[in-house]
Amino acid sequence: MAESVERLQQRVEELERELALERSRRALGGGDGGGGRVRIEKMSPEVVDSNPYRELLTYGVNQLLLFDYDKVELANMNRLFFQPHQAGLSKVQAAEYTLRNINPDVLFEVHNYNITTVENFQHFMDRISNGGLEEGKPVDLVLSCVDNFEARMAINTACNELGQTWMESGVSENAVSGHIQLIIPGESACFACAPPLVVAANIDEKTLKREGVCAASLPTTMGVVAGILVQNVLKFLLNFGTVSFYLGYNAMQDFFPTMSMKPNPQCDDRNCRKQQEEYKKKVAALPKPEVVQEEEEIIHEDNEWGIELVSEVSEEELKNSSGPVPDLPEGITVAYTIPEKQEDSVAEVTVEDSGESLEDLMAKMKNM
Ligand SMILES: [Zn+2]
């Protein structure tokens, strides 16, 4: 009896999913998601010539690979582009329908799974290495827009192993600040290099969740962070302007700190250390004047704003944590400190020195 009830419930869930899919198709005017438009195989020469961003076409941005395991819920309607009729669909599927409707010229490959499981992680790695516009070639860029550290660490591990450049983004739990970060393995600090972020790799995610903290998000903060992420992507792919290694956003003060971090030679990720060695060799092989230029690009000594890393821990947790606090420039606070069990593997801090004492920083943090 219990079994048949379970089976019935499963069937009801299946039917609900099918219904949501069908509703989505109808809302978009057909199963092709095209809404009446068909994919344009080739742009007319006139269009291409007048389009200042035509280079984008050669950079593979006309193909998107999406990875996510969540389903669209009504609670998601306040952000991104999900619509009520898509409730029950996987997020990647719903995103594909909506985006294809906006631009049928883009090719999509969607994966509705959790990248942190062993099997899925292998597949995720395979698609990064082979899922470029030309099958068998790596993708141009990986973008991370996830809401947990486990997923970020999975992306970090994959990109370090593959030497894949990626951009990370995030919005704080209180939804009033966010950041983007460009990670070029071996050249800039990876997600495991920086002490404030490395902690999360070794602690239970659940301990980060606090009771009474509203999980809702401000669509405006997300919109701003998504905007600066995509702006950085354009600059990176089209090679114009300054591509930020780190750009923070504090909505309360309209503060946009930027900085760059060198990789940590003692990083826990061995592939990060390997990439650092390879990068050093690459730089050493360059003609002398260019070496100097490279270094200047990475280190911004005149960083007057410093950095404010997103704080997702309470004051209590900060006080109670016993790890080392990096010597940070003015305006910078740490998101995490390293817990006691890691005391023996203190990571070397690679951010710029402001001359501020540890006491000053601690006092500042307590006043946050
Ligand atoms: Zn690293």
Side-chain angles (χ1 to χ4, degrees):
M1 184 63 188
E3 199 192 348
S4 62
V5 169
E6 207 172 281
R7 228 180 293 147
L8 262 176
Q9 275 172 343
Q10 274 177 1
R11 185 69 193 128
V12 168
E13 276 173 29
E14 270 171 36
L15 283 170
E16 275 173 353
R17 268 200 301 277
E18 279 169 31
L19 199 65
L21 196 63
E22 187 52 34
R23 273 201 299 264
S24 185
R25 281 183 180 138
R26 285 186 189 175
L28 294 171
D32 62 350
R37 276 186 68 186
V38 287
R39 181 166 194 276
I40 302 160
E41 292 298 336
K42 266 187 184 154
M43 278 199 183
S44 68
E46 293 80 20
V47 173
V48 172
D49 285 346
S50 62
N51 182 353
Y53 297 113
R54 62 183 180 276
E55 277 179 72
L56 276 176
L57 293 171
T58 62
Y59 275 93
V61 177
N62 49 358
Q63 174 167 311
L64 285 173
L65 284 71
L66 307 174
F67 299 84
D68 198 291
Y69 70 94
D70 254 355
K71 263 193 222 153
V72 177
E73 291 171 38
L74 284 174
N76 302 138
M77 296 308 137
N78 72 330
R79 57 183 167 149
L80 302 175
F81 39 61
F82 298 126
Q83 297 157 58
H85 66 83
Q86 294 176 322
L89 281 184
S90 70
K91 284 184 177 172
V92 285
Q93 184 79 86
E96 181 188 351
Y97 282 134
T98 303
L99 294 173
R100 276 177 61 195
N101 193 43
I102 294 166
N103 187 350
D105 305 327
V106 175
L107 297 169
F108 290 92
E109 180 181 311
V110 300
H111 299 287
N112 180 30
Y113 61 57
N114 179 352
I115 60 162
T116 66
T117 69
V118 175
E119 195 185 319
N120 293 336
F121 181 74
Q122 281 310 318
H123 190 262
F124 173 63
M125 289 252 294
D126 177 69
R127 294 318 295 149
I128 293 176
S129 336
N130 299 302
L133 198 54
E134 193 184 324
E135 182 65 25
K137 294 261 173 72
V139 298
D140 292 287
L141 194 61
V142 171
L143 301 181
S144 156
C145 321
V146 299
D147 61 0
N148 65 87
F149 282 86
E150 203 191 355
R152 280 188 180 93
M153 287 308 290
I155 297 165
N156 193 62
T157 304
C159 291
N160 273 339
E161 185 170 337
L162 301 169
Q164 172 68 51
T165 297
W166 64 293
M167 282 188 202
E168 132 77 9
S169 67
V171 169
S172 66
E173 216 172 43
N174 61 13
V176 288
S177 62
H179 73 276
I180 61 163
Q181 189 179 349
L182 165 67
I183 299 165
I184 307 175
E187 185 178 337
S188 60
C190 88
F191 199 70
C193 279
L197 303 172
V198 77
V199 178
N202 298 318
I203 57 171
D204 189 346
E205 290 262 316
K206 291 178 192 81
T207 63
L208 294 176
K209 300 271 175 223
R210 279 174 286 135
E211 270 183 46
V213 171
C214 179
S217 47
L218 276 181
T220 43
T221 308
M222 294 200 143
V224 170
V225 174
I228 58 176
L229 174 69
V230 176
Q231 187 82 304
N232 219 37
V233 169
L234 278 189
K235 292 195 287 183
F236 176 82
L237 292 178
L238 298 180
N239 199 20
F240 70 94
T242 301
V243 181
S244 290
F245 276 96
Y246 178 97
L247 174 59
Y249 168 53
N250 178 326
M252 303 303 268
Q253 276 109 33
D254 282 340
F255 177 52
F256 292 85
T258 60
M259 70 172 297
S260 57
M261 277 191 288
K262 284 184 277 181
N264 176 4
Q266 273 94 45
C267 180
D268 279 347
D269 188 322
R270 70 180 167 88
N271 284 309
C272 174
R273 301 194 305 268
K274 207 177 108 190
Q275 296 289 352
Q276 289 179 47
E277 289 308 310
E278 276 165 30
Y279 178 70
K280 266 189 225 159
K281 279 182 212 158
K282 210 171 79 183
V283 170
L286 289 171
K288 260 259 156 51
E290 280 182 53
V291 174
V292 175
Q293 220 176 5
E294 281 276 340
E295 281 172 0
E296 277 174 359
E297 270 171 26
I298 302 161
I299 307 157
H300 301 284
E301 294 292 350
D302 59 345
N303 170 15
E304 61 173 342
W305 294 109
I307 168 187
E308 183 165 356
L309 289 171
V310 176
S311 176
E312 293 180 23
V313 283
S314 66
E315 276 181 49
E316 283 300 296
E317 283 168 301
L318 269 182
K319 273 183 217 160
N320 293 340
S321 58
S322 55
V325 177
D327 190 11
L328 299 166
E330 199 175 346
I332 296 182
T333 56
V334 290
Y336 302 103
T337 48
I338 298 169
E340 234 169 316
K341 59 177 178 180
Q342 286 200 342
E343 265 185 9
D344 56 339
S345 62
V346 174
E348 195 175 293
V349 181
T350 52
V351 291
E352 291 85 355
D353 186 356
S354 69
E356 210 167 3
S357 76
L358 191 65
E359 284 76 13
D360 288 345
L361 281 164
M362 290 299 280
K364 262 190 199 171
M365 254 189 302
K366 280 176 187 162
N367 291 330
M368 266 168 66

